[in-house]
Amino acid sequence: MVKVGIIGGSGLEDPNILLDPVTVAVDTPYGKPSDDVVEGTINGVECVLLARHGRKHDIMPGNVNFRANLWALYSRGVDVIIASTACGSLQENVEPGHLLFPDSVFDRTTGRQSTFFDGSYDQAPGVCHIQAHPTYNEKLRQVLISTAERCQLVHHRTGFGVCIEGPRFSTKAESMVFKSWGASLVNMTMMPECILAKELGIPYATTALVTDYDCWKEEDHVTASSVMKVFAANVEKAKTLFVEAVGEIGKIDWSAEILKLKTEARESVMISPD
Ligand code: ADE
């Protein structure tokens, strides 16, 4: 039976969706994750929940220990990971309150630790040149899309996000440029989570929860309080999506998908023959 990891982003720190929750402290070779994980079941499927910014939301995007977070879920035996992430919209038709299932991401972060293979852990030797395309697991992405459809949640099936370093929001010049690139979203945590999941060979897909129009759209420009306000109004959508999606994920045999990704991850590591 599949075990599902869930990474809750801003506004979904402690979503209370698990039956019989048990809190587990985890340490990893890459340090401590953002918080203890919470384990329990959803629709009879075992799940491990982790709050990306900590359950008190006191870790800013650039300080999230993404490696420890992914390793923590890996060490608790999760087979697939679904995540949520609050995002600004860069396109008129992607409205606050909508969901979007990204198919790629443009990395504008600076200096985040984005590989397990940097020589800091002797059990992860070599250099890992992981393929960044496809960024998200398509089979898992399709489960999220079909679940959103079934639950009648307004959503967009494709689009890419620009992941900025933060914690500040974009300038208008930046926002206009990102928009002109054709990006649908701007956000601070899409990277390097998806890449680290690929290095571990774990199918991973994320759900963007659109909270604002960033600042390209003069009249609506983003503030921290506007993000949290829209999020609070829409958090039930994310919970519904996750609960229903976990039920669907539990019905699927993931073994071939996992084998494919684990093989790809293993073959991406270059180790000197001597
Ligand atoms: N998260 C939510 N809204 C955002 C925005 N406009 N820019 C970056 N990250 C965000």
Side-chain angles (χ1 to χ4, degrees):
M1 182 59 151
V2 69
K3 193 167 184 178
V4 181
I6 302 175
I7 301 179
S10 302
L12 266 179
E13 278 77 25
D14 201 1
N16 235 331
I17 49 179
L18 298 183
L19 187 65
D20 300 329
V22 177
T23 301
V24 182
V26 187
D27 206 353
T28 84
Y30 298 93
K32 290 217 183 293
S34 297
D35 210 326
D36 296 343
V37 300
V38 187
E39 304 195 352
T41 61
I42 296 176
N43 281 326
V45 179
E46 277 187 85
C47 293
V48 184
L49 194 74
L50 177 59
R52 183 185 294 115
H53 300 278
R55 280 176 290 173
K56 293 198 207 107
H57 196 101
D58 53 3
I59 307 173
M60 72 170 194
N63 285 346
V64 170
N65 188 340
F66 289 96
R67 296 195 302 182
N69 284 357
L70 271 289
W71 198 276
L73 294 178
Y74 168 67
S75 72
R76 298 307 297 167
V78 310
D79 300 296
V80 307
I81 297 174
I82 53 176
S84 74
T85 181
C87 291
S89 165
L90 295 169
Q91 304 298 335
E92 189 81 53
N93 67 324
V94 179
E95 298 175 23
H98 289 184
L99 305 180
L100 190 148
F101 301 101
D103 50 23
S104 194
V105 53
F106 195 107
D107 191 1
R108 292 265 308 163
T109 63
T110 53
R112 296 186 186 183
Q113 288 175 311
S114 58
T115 177
F116 292 109
F117 297 83
D118 65 346
S120 63
Y121 178 39
D122 58 4
Q123 301 295 308
V127 176
C128 183
H129 296 288
I130 197 77
Q131 296 164 38
H133 173 75
T135 312
Y136 300 99
N137 182 258
E138 191 56 25
K139 186 163 169 168
L140 201 50
R141 223 176 65 77
Q142 291 302 332
V143 173
L144 294 175
I145 292 169
S146 59
T147 305
E149 230 153 58
R150 189 162 48 78
C151 297
Q152 300 187 316
L153 301 169
V154 182
H155 64 280
H156 303 263
R157 305 167 70 97
T158 56
F160 72 93
V162 176
C163 185
I164 61 173
E165 180 58 33
R168 68 168 177 85
F169 291 116
S170 305
T171 64
K172 182 147 184 195
E174 289 163 340
S175 193
M176 297 301 285
V177 169
F178 299 156
K179 180 172 163 54
S180 77
W181 289 347
S184 296
L185 305 166
V186 56
N187 144 290
M188 300 178 196
T189 55
M190 287 171 85
M191 278 290 186
E193 208 165 85
C194 51
I195 299 301
L196 293 168
K198 289 202 84 161
E199 285 195 352
L200 292 173
I202 300 176
Y204 169 99
T206 196
T207 303
L209 305 158
V210 180
T211 53
D212 58 89
Y213 274 118
D214 203 41
C215 67
W216 59 271
K217 195 164 184 240
E218 197 61 63
E219 64 269 28
D220 281 322
H221 79 96
V222 60
T223 63
S225 62
S226 72
V227 166
M228 290 321 286
K229 206 158 102 195
V230 175
F231 206 100
N234 289 286
V235 74
E236 288 308 317
K237 290 180 192 169
K239 287 195 202 179
T240 303
L241 180 84
F242 278 177
V243 168
E244 294 300 316
V246 166
E248 291 307 306
I249 290 167
K251 293 179 197 160
I252 296 169
D253 178 2
W254 292 90
S255 49
E257 202 65 18
I258 291 167
L259 179 63
K260 190 175 80 187
L261 289 182
K262 297 266 187 228
T263 306
E264 186 182 303
R266 201 168 38 244
E267 289 176 352
S268 299
V269 179
M270 291 171 59
I271 299 184
S272 152
D274 14 86

